[in-house]
Amino acid sequence: MPPTDCERLLSGLNPAQRRAAAHLDGPCLVLAGAGSGKTRVLTHRVAYLICRGVAPQAILAITFTNKAAREMRERVVRLVGDEARDMWISTFHAACVRILRRWGDRIGYDRGFVIRDEAEQRVLIKASIEQLGLDPDRYPVNAVRAAIDHAKNELRDPDAMSREADSFYLAQVARIYAAYQERLRDENALDFGDLLMQAVRLLREHPEVLAELRARFSHLLVDEYQDTNHAQYVLLKLLAEPRRNLFAVGDADQSIYGWRGADIRNILRFEEDFPEAEVVLLEQNYRSTQPILDVAHDVIAHNRQRREKRLWTERTEGEPVTLYRARDEREEAEFVAGEILRLRADEGLAWQDFAVLYRTHAQSRVLEEGFVRRGLPYV
């Protein structure tokens, strides 16, 4: 397309979004606050690259869910047409499956390998514990599975785990890990942690495969960079060289997946890994009112590990945020139920106008009991 048509693709973006989407070569870190239109930036950047002559098959875009991958592909197709269907838009795991299906035989995996889900993992780990004659009460399957998953996220095989074990318990978990891997091998199977770990191993041990992938993908884009784990970080670093065309979108303030291996240091050290990187802040919010953004900033500003940014919106007016400190969970539930009844009476709101958010499912029971006592219907 002519340059004028490419520029027209960016016409609906705000200045910061436009700057990010129009970035062509070299590393770029987009720090995107909540509700700042990061998905819009990603899709328009992909469309802009294609418009400027980058072949769709030379673009690898990584998202964290299959739904997000489908939505991104559909949006890009609407912007530039069916040629966008040739690009790789997938989750980390789906990308690794494609890589291993093609070249996994180089590291001993038949291309017809199967992928074991969590339930199947537990069965194999339980059998491995029994095989080693270990006490299942001392080595609960879920705890062992979590330890193995963590090791794989850190790219540690059973030998590495055994060497680094600083307790008898971890030494035994390393033995279980080894036995479990043998069972997977016997079944020509991998679990989700293996998909990443073995893909990294393949690229490290077979430079010809890495060279082919590097030659194919000239531009890498990754969403939710703050939620990447060590294995994902290493995979991206391997693929990004030598062009270093890595476009990372994320926000350290929104990192919530540390429990499943996400390493906040990945986004915080992006500029150390890529000193030449352009950094773009997306600070205009399209979702909330300014009073909500101000309260959120005053809370998050106390975080020690963050890059300073302050979200703002054109929606300057809005209800002030109310903080109610209850003595216990029952009083809290009574307050919530009472507020719903008050707002229905004062403002004529319908039941479906209300939503109650809570941190964990366990907290819903007291709220439900409070609603039942006050006659509030809920779903």
Side-chain angles (χ1 to χ4, degrees):
M1 295 183 185
T4 52
D5 291 339
C6 297
E7 293 304 315
R8 199 173 296 127
L9 281 173
L10 309 180
S11 60
L13 306 181
N14 69 38
Q17 292 173 333
R18 184 185 180 92
R19 178 183 161 206
H23 178 87
L24 281 176
D25 296 320
C28 182
L29 175 63
V30 180
L31 296 173
S36 62
K38 67 181 178 63
T39 303
R40 185 175 173 82
V41 167
L42 277 165
T43 54
H44 279 73
R45 169 170 168 73
V46 172
Y48 188 76
L49 287 173
I50 294 172
C51 183
R52 292 297 297 266
V54 177
Q57 58 268 28
I59 299 171
L60 171 61
I62 299 291
T63 66
F64 265 77
T65 66
N66 291 318
K67 180 183 177 183
R70 287 193 300 271
E71 289 177 353
M72 184 184 293
R73 186 183 303 278
E74 290 165 3
R75 289 194 192 190
V76 176
V77 167
R78 286 198 295 270
L79 288 170
V80 298
D82 284 341
E83 63 176 321
R85 298 190 187 280
D86 292 334
M87 61 179 290
W88 277 30
I89 304 180
S90 69
T91 63
F92 275 104
H93 290 102
C96 289
V97 168
R98 292 183 70 170
I99 291 169
L100 291 168
R101 291 279 185 221
R102 180 166 179 183
W103 293 289
D105 58 331
R106 309 281 178 98
I107 54 172
Y109 286 98
D110 183 275
R111 293 179 181 181
F113 64 79
V114 294
I115 302 169
R116 296 303 184 204
D117 62 21
E118 290 186 12
E120 292 167 324
Q121 275 185 274
R122 284 191 283 269
V123 170
L124 292 174
I125 290 172
K126 183 175 184 290
S128 300
I129 293 170
E130 292 172 352
Q131 171 192 333
L132 296 172
L134 297 173
D135 182 354
D137 293 329
R138 181 167 172 74
Y139 300 94
V141 169
N142 285 336
V144 172
R145 189 183 72 82
I148 292 173
D149 285 348
H150 178 72
K152 291 183 178 182
N153 288 339
E154 294 294 315
L155 299 177
R156 288 184 293 142
D157 61 15
D159 288 341
M161 190 181 196
S162 180
R163 287 194 304 271
E164 297 167 15
D166 58 2
S167 68
F168 180 79
Y169 173 82
L170 287 178
Q172 299 311 303
V173 170
R175 291 180 63 211
I176 300 168
Y177 181 8
Y180 168 66
Q181 287 302 111
E182 282 297 317
R183 289 177 178 272
L184 287 173
R185 278 283 189 178
D186 290 344
E187 297 182 356
N188 190 38
L190 298 92
D191 62 23
F192 287 104
D194 281 325
L195 294 176
L196 289 161
M197 185 175 178
Q198 297 304 328
V200 169
R201 177 189 160 204
L202 171 68
L203 300 187
R204 282 175 164 173
E205 295 182 3
H206 292 272
E208 74 282 2
V209 175
L210 178 58
E212 187 169 339
L213 287 169
R214 283 176 171 175
R216 172 177 179 140
F217 297 121
S218 63
H219 288 79
L220 278 68
L221 299 86
V222 59
D223 193 10
E224 307 292 4
Y225 194 74
Q226 77 279 355
D227 289 328
T228 54
N229 61 36
H230 180 66
Q232 292 162 342
Y233 166 80
V234 171
L235 181 70
L236 288 171
K237 287 266 289 176
L238 285 168
L239 292 174
E241 297 293 346
R243 293 187 180 97
R244 298 166 73 82
N245 290 336
L246 177 60
F247 187 87
V249 180
D251 181 9
D253 292 342
Q254 297 185 65
S255 181
I256 59 174
Y257 289 112
W259 56 273
R260 70 177 189 192
D263 190 343
I264 188 67
R265 292 173 297 180
N266 293 345
I267 192 168
L268 294 174
R269 68 185 178 197
F270 189 91
E271 292 167 84
E272 296 177 22
D273 293 333
F274 302 96
E276 75 277 29
E278 179 177 9
V279 179
V280 182
L281 301 182
L282 299 187
E283 297 176 294
Q284 183 174 0
N285 176 282
Y286 295 91
R287 186 181 299 160
S288 303
T289 60
Q290 196 62 50
I292 291 174
L293 297 179
D294 289 341
V295 168
H297 177 269
D298 290 345
V299 172
I300 206 87
H302 293 284
N303 283 8
R304 290 188 293 271
Q305 290 186 312
R306 69 184 298 265
R307 172 79 174 260
E308 176 57 31
K309 64 180 181 305
R310 182 153 198 147
L311 299 185
W312 61 276
T313 179
E314 293 178 348
R315 300 169 63 191
T316 55
E317 302 298 323
E319 291 289 323
V321 175
T322 299
L323 171 65
Y324 177 79
R325 181 174 293 177
R327 287 176 296 184
D328 55 35
E329 58 186 359
R330 295 188 180 280
E331 183 176 291
E332 181 181 60
E334 284 297 314
F335 171 78
V336 172
E339 281 296 287
I340 292 172
L341 291 172
R342 180 184 68 78
L343 289 167
R344 270 180 56 82
D346 292 352
E347 301 183 19
L349 298 176
W351 295 118
Q352 60 263 33
D353 291 328
F354 298 92
V356 180
L357 306 181
Y358 43 84
R359 190 172 60 85
T360 67
H361 287 304
Q363 293 175 295
S364 70
R365 181 177 178 180
V366 177
L367 286 166
E368 293 181 68
E369 290 172 350
F371 289 174
V372 170
R373 282 196 300 271
R374 303 292 289 269
L376 276 68
Y378 65 89
V379 177

